[in-house]
Amino acid sequence: MTHVKKIIEAGLPLSQAKKALILLHGRGGSAEDILTLREHLPVNDFYIVAPQATNNSWYPLSFLAPIQQNEPWFSSALAYVKSIVEDIQAAGIPAEHIYIGGFSQGACLTLEFATRNAQRWGGVFALTGGLIGDKIYPEHYQGDFAGTKVFIANSQNDPHVPITRSEDSKKLMEKMGAQVNVKVYHDRPHTIVMDELQETGKILVG
């Protein structure tokens, strides 16, 4: 099975905005849930879009499973995000003014999409995330981030995303030209804390 495209929009109309933000929800979450982040972010002049994953999940297994085991959902999720980027670009907003971020499963998908399509993005943020796969496969990624700022948050003991994967993701992305800040929170549950949103705000204002 594959994802059926269903999006929720907020902020400025796409035809009027000069910047865009794509928000990707976590497993079991929803587009409505992740859109509430905008209340805590400096995005008054953004077009904001949140896609809804079919069955509330971008792919069925852990992000640490072999990629083939998460197909065809995984490839469908990447294509889904790409279609949204293309819609935004068709409206006249270039990649360097497109920001992509998400939480948990959505954070992993954010990093995976941005790195497989490395270029000068407006900014990238992953609230508890890392690149996807049983290990990191450098051959899956191409392009040059050209200085794109990336924020990755995690906890020392997150039950779903090992901090080592976040750190290894940083190393690969930096080799591809990104400026990556990994911030580790002590004893933080699998959630989003206000400090993460403040760090994300720094990405969104350039």
Side-chain angles (χ1 to χ4, degrees), residues 39-54:
E39 300 165 12
H40 308 284
L41 297 172
V43 290
N44 289 339
D45 56 343
F46 281 70
Y47 163 75
I48 307 167
V49 58
Q52 175 64 50
T54 300

Side-chain angles (χ1 to χ4, degrees), residues 10-21 43-48 88 91-94 97:
L12 291 180
L14 180 56
S15 61
Q16 297 178 19
K18 294 182 178 179
K19 294 187 287 186
L21 171 61
V43 290
N44 289 339
D45 56 343
F46 281 70
Y47 163 75
I48 307 167
I88 293 170
I93 300 177
H97 291 153

